[in-house]
Amino acid sequence: VRDKDRQKMSKSKGNVIDPLGVADTYGTDAVRMALVVGNTAGNDIVISEDKIRGYRNFATKIWNVARFVMMNKPSKFSTKPAYSLADKKDLAQLKKIQSQVTKHIEKFEFYLAGEKIYHYIWHTFADKIIEAAKPRLSVENSKDAEVAYLKLETVLIESLKMLHPFMPYVTEEIYGKF
């Protein structure tokens, strides 16, 4: 294990990160992600408190996404969803990401699987899919709002399943709420 400057961690250098201390401060899931993502098997692990803090921010992002999805849940559902072409495209992309993450895990390429799901959740789901759904969700009692919600819930649940091996505490807590 090396520090952010790729120096070997040692007490005499004073560059050691206390795993229990950072786990208490940033959460165990953040530490786990920092140890996995960006660290190729067979190479030295590079870790810093900044990297751990970044994955704590990612956990916060997941919580915020889940809260947004939950607060937009319709009181009742009228019919089976009739997904639009854009909805079907987003769900197809989700299936493709699931397949890629599964292949990486089966090949023991955990760093690639973690990185793929991180980028999907942050940059695709949170930044694009949710933002595109906001206008649809703002119309009360509409079938389109129901469909938009169902798509968001589906993407969230499936994303939590993919992320679970890397961040089990956060994903389990959120999954339990759905």
Side-chain angles (χ1 to χ4, degrees):
V1 177
R2 299 189 176 272
D3 69 5
K4 64 182 186 230
D5 300 321
R6 297 201 174 272
Q7 297 294 315
K8 182 180 176 189
M9 286 193 181
S10 73
K11 288 185 210 175
S12 60
K13 289 182 181 180
N15 63 350
V16 175
I17 295 176
D18 174 30
L20 298 177
V22 292
D24 287 342
T25 304
Y26 301 112
T28 308
D29 284 346
V31 174
R32 181 179 284 111
M33 279 292 282
L35 287 168
V36 172
V37 176
N39 295 312
T40 309
N43 292 333
D44 292 339
I45 295 173
V46 177
I47 192 145
S48 69
E49 196 165 333
D50 289 339
K51 187 176 181 184
I52 297 167
R53 188 179 306 111
Y55 287 110
R56 188 259 336 251
N57 294 344
F58 177 58
T60 302
K61 183 75 157 182
I62 296 166
W63 273 107
N64 291 338
V65 163
R67 279 189 206 104
F68 177 80
V69 173
M70 280 190 274
M71 74 181 207
N72 284 289
K73 185 173 186 171
S75 56
K76 61 184 172 78
F77 294 97
S78 57
T79 59
K80 186 178 176 187
Y83 289 120
S84 69
L85 189 59
D87 293 336
K88 290 177 184 177
K89 181 182 166 197
D90 289 339
L91 293 171
Q93 183 182 20
L94 172 66
K95 293 288 184 201
K96 181 179 174 186
I97 293 294
Q98 285 176 311
S99 174
Q100 291 171 350
V101 167
T102 300
K103 285 178 185 173
H104 287 309
I105 289 173
E106 287 171 350
K107 292 181 185 177
F108 300 100
E109 298 171 335
F110 303 118
Y111 61 100
L112 291 174
E115 200 171 304
K116 176 107 21 213
I117 187 62
Y118 167 84
H119 286 291
Y120 177 76
I121 290 173
W122 194 293
H123 301 295
T124 303
F125 184 38
D127 289 352
K128 294 177 184 169
I129 295 173
I130 287 179
E131 291 302 318
K134 284 180 180 179
R136 295 170 66 192
L137 293 168
S138 65
V139 180
E140 290 186 37
N141 299 324
S142 81
K143 291 184 194 253
D144 194 41
E146 290 177 21
V147 172
Y149 170 80
L150 288 172
K151 179 179 80 168
L152 290 180
E153 184 181 82
T154 300
V155 174
L156 176 63
I157 296 296
E158 295 304 315
S159 295
L160 291 173
K161 289 176 185 177
M162 286 188 287
L163 187 61
H164 187 71
F166 306 99
M167 299 183 92
Y169 298 111
V170 170
T171 56
E172 184 74 27
E173 188 66 28
I174 295 170
Y175 189 85
K177 294 188 182 301
F178 283 90

